[in-house]
Amino acid sequence: MSENNEKHITIQALHRMPYYLQKLKELKNDGVDVVSAPKIAQMLNLNEVQVRKDFAAVSEIKGKPKAGFSVSELIRQMEELLGFNNTDDAVLVGVGSLGHAFLAYKGFEEYGLNIVAAFDSNPEFIGMEISGKSVLPSERISEMCLRMGIHIGIITVPEEQAQKVCDQLVAGGVLAIWNFAPVHLSVPENVLVKNENLAASLAMLSKHLKEKMKEKF
Amino acid sequence: MSENNEKHITIQALHRMPYYLQKLKELKNDGVDVVSAPKIAQMLNLNEVQVRKDFAAVSEIKGKPKAGFSVSELIRQMEELLGFNNTDDAVLVGVGSLGHAFLAYKGFEEYGLNIVAAFDSNPEFIGMEISGKSVLPSERISEMCLRMGIHIGIITVPEEQAQKVCDQLVAGGVLAIWNFAPVHLSVPENVLVKNENLAASLAMLSKHLKEKMKEKF
DNA sequence: TAGATTGTTAATCGATTAACAATC
DNA sequence: TAGATTGTTAATCGATTAACAATC
């Protein structure tokens, strides 16, 4: 009787969710109450079976044959799954240009992330307030994370410092790390590292471009 | 005799390249001339066969049994493949907090990306100089891209405006788009869209965290 | 030579897509 | 009912991993 709560959801599927969510909200805004998998598939350039499977992975909601799925039900379930409805506190380490930007960026809150403090090793930055968050010395990472019960860390330091910062975060009880340094980080197995890999994205763009330009000759 | 130049390289492999490159540079710095696949695999937590296949996909370089691969040869070939050795010009659209940050971020140049101009629809920003780049009105996107021969566009506008901006870039001859708006963009098939999907990354962090916290009970 | 490492072919694994009966 | 759509089982596809002969 008791369902296995551990719905299997692949990380690929998880990556598609924000796109579904965005489309669904758009539809809801337009007054659409029910939508079918084939319609969503067409809008997002996906396979319709994939959409149905993804929806199934999100929740217990069943679609109605001939009709489709309840738009607001889907939105609710996806936000629940993605954790956009409850906010997590995080700290950011590295107040360079990228880190600076993230402190100023308002978009994260919309996705349930709240940066509560920043750290840097450069004395020049310490004590500063950036977008209302104060910058503390890196030595205090572990202590502060423990004290504030922080479980998410954002790393925006240069690659040479990334592993050290990572270790400090882990020591502070951080369980999930968002890493913008183009470095592989070693962590205990219960800690998740999500690499943002801007370099890899740029490589893809550059490679595509090179191929396209070659075609012109 | 003539080799098929179109080496098959998967996009997964392409994503691993920056990590190889970073490690290889580190090794070179330490005076290491030759490295084996198993060593690299161990350092990056990968399978050794995968590393060998990735190296093979990069270039014609052969490793030497019992020894390994030439570190500097690999670096050279990877930078060539990733396009980090030649710079591409790009424009950025959307000078909000994230866009602002990117204009200030020095890291991109290291990867061969040079942002030459920025656009925004908000009159408040137009005419401004941000990190030495002037902000132009969005209406001029197509014209300017054509005139300057720009082929890469970076989209950092809110989701409602992303598709419109995308269309303007495409009209301006842009062939590769780096999209930070959490929206699916429709483009002609010769144009590549690389989605940066910060929302999806956050979802992964949040989901992992939720699971870990649950374990505590 | 012995042993580590290479490169390649075959087996495994997992995700996507196709096929199809069930439903409204 | 007829037809679109659902949910699921089976087939396909592609990437990772294992197995192994070749090489220095």
Side-chain angles (χ1 to χ4, degrees):
Chain A
M1 201 71 7
S2 83
E3 234 120 46
N4 186 351
N5 198 11
E6 296 291 313
K7 277 264 173 190
H8 182 64
I9 178 158
T10 66
I11 86 161
Q12 286 91 333
L14 208 50
H15 270 97
R16 288 188 289 270
M17 293 300 160
Y19 297 100
Y20 292 134
L21 192 52
Q22 190 272 335
K23 258 305 169 220
L24 289 166
K25 281 182 169 169
E26 214 174 290
L27 288 167
K28 192 182 181 182
N29 235 33
D30 295 348
V32 178
D33 287 333
V34 173
V35 72
S36 72
K39 278 226 181 60
I40 293 278
Q42 190 214 351
M43 289 188 284
L44 296 179
N45 252 168
L46 297 170
N47 179 288
E48 73 170 78
V49 181
Q50 189 169 59
V51 174
R52 240 178 258 124
K53 288 215 164 152
D54 286 349
F55 284 4
V58 171
S59 72
E60 310 296 313
I61 302 173
K62 298 278 172 185
K64 287 223 176 76
K66 171 102 173 164
F69 300 80
S70 156
V71 173
S72 28
E73 261 315 299
L74 280 174
I75 291 175
R76 182 167 25 248
Q77 301 276 347
M78 277 186 195
E79 287 190 331
E80 158 94 29
L81 177 87
L82 299 181
F84 291 176
N85 49 357
N86 66 319
T87 303
D88 293 315
D89 286 343
V91 296
L92 180 145
V93 190
V95 188
S97 50
L98 196 61
H100 217 103
F102 285 171
L103 290 176
Y105 186 48
K106 284 130 203 139
F108 292 148
E109 270 176 55
E110 202 179 319
Y111 304 132
L113 190 84
N114 181 224
I115 302 176
V116 296
F119 297 90
D120 205 292
S121 56
N122 187 341
E124 200 183 313
F125 290 128
I126 293 168
M128 273 178 68
E129 286 244 331
I130 300 175
S131 305
K133 285 114 188 179
S134 43
V135 181
L136 306 169
S138 290
E139 301 85 51
R140 300 187 57 198
I141 292 175
S142 307
E143 171 212 338
M144 291 301 284
C145 286
L146 282 171
R147 197 155 85 195
M148 302 176 78
I150 303 291
H151 298 293
I152 296 185
I154 306 173
I155 297 182
T156 47
V157 298
E159 52 191 60
E160 313 86 63
Q161 297 163 38
Q163 184 63 59
K164 187 186 171 195
V165 162
C166 173
D167 295 341
Q168 287 171 301
L169 288 167
V170 170
V174 162
L175 294 167
I177 290 176
W178 204 7
N179 175 36
F180 287 82
V183 194
H184 169 77
L185 298 175
S186 299
V187 292
E189 65 165 337
N190 66 326
V191 175
L192 177 80
V193 176
K194 174 66 192 167
N195 289 303
E196 214 45 64
N197 218 335
L198 298 179
S201 301
L202 272 170
M204 291 191 56
L205 296 177
S206 164
K207 192 156 180 301
H208 174 80
L209 203 56
K210 220 190 289 175
E211 281 161 15
K212 285 294 156 195
M213 298 308 278
K214 221 183 286 176
E215 282 175 20
K216 293 207 171 173
F217 293 97
Chain B
M1 202 68 12
S2 84
E3 234 120 49
N4 186 350
N5 198 11
E6 296 292 313
K7 276 265 171 191
H8 181 63
I9 179 159
T10 65
I11 87 161
Q12 287 91 331
L14 208 48
H15 270 98
R16 286 188 291 270
M17 293 300 160
Y19 297 100
Y20 292 134
L21 193 50
Q22 190 273 335
K23 257 309 167 216
L24 289 166
K25 281 182 171 169
E26 215 174 289
L27 289 168
K28 192 182 180 183
N29 237 34
D30 295 349
V32 179
D33 286 334
V34 172
V35 72
S36 72
K39 278 226 181 60
I40 292 279
Q42 190 213 351
M43 289 188 284
L44 296 179
N45 251 168
L46 298 170
N47 179 289
E48 74 170 77
V49 182
Q50 189 169 58
V51 173
R52 241 178 258 124
K53 287 214 165 149
D54 286 348
F55 284 4
V58 171
S59 72
E60 310 297 314
I61 302 173
K62 299 278 172 185
K64 286 224 176 78
K66 172 104 172 158
F69 299 81
S70 156
V71 172
S72 31
E73 260 316 297
L74 281 174
I75 291 176
R76 183 168 24 251
Q77 300 276 346
M78 278 186 194
E79 288 189 331
E80 158 96 29
L81 176 87
L82 300 180
F84 290 176
N85 49 357
N86 66 319
T87 303
D88 293 315
D89 285 343
V91 296
L92 179 144
V93 189
V95 188
S97 50
L98 196 61
H100 217 102
F102 284 171
L103 290 176
Y105 186 50
K106 284 131 204 138
F108 292 149
E109 268 176 57
E110 201 179 318
Y111 304 132
L113 191 83
N114 181 223
I115 302 176
V116 295
F119 297 89
D120 205 291
S121 56
N122 186 342
E124 199 183 313
F125 291 128
I126 292 168
M128 272 177 69
E129 286 244 331
I130 300 177
S131 305
K133 284 114 187 180
S134 42
V135 181
L136 306 169
S138 289
E139 301 84 53
R140 299 186 59 197
I141 292 174
S142 307
E143 171 213 339
M144 290 300 284
C145 287
L146 282 172
R147 199 156 83 193
M148 302 175 78
I150 303 291
H151 298 294
I152 297 185
I154 306 172
I155 298 182
T156 47
V157 299
E159 52 191 60
E160 315 84 63
Q161 298 164 37
Q163 183 63 58
K164 188 186 171 194
V165 162
C166 173
D167 295 342
Q168 289 171 300
L169 288 168
V170 170
V174 162
L175 293 168
I177 291 175
W178 204 8
N179 176 36
F180 287 82
V183 194
H184 170 79
L185 298 175
S186 299
V187 292
E189 65 165 338
N190 66 326
V191 175
L192 176 81
V193 176
K194 174 66 192 167
N195 289 302
E196 213 47 60
N197 220 335
L198 298 180
S201 301
L202 273 170
M204 290 191 57
L205 296 177
S206 165
K207 192 156 179 303
H208 173 80
L209 204 55
K210 221 189 290 176
E211 281 161 16
K212 285 294 156 198
M213 298 309 278
K214 221 184 286 175
E215 283 176 21
K216 294 207 172 174
F217 293 97

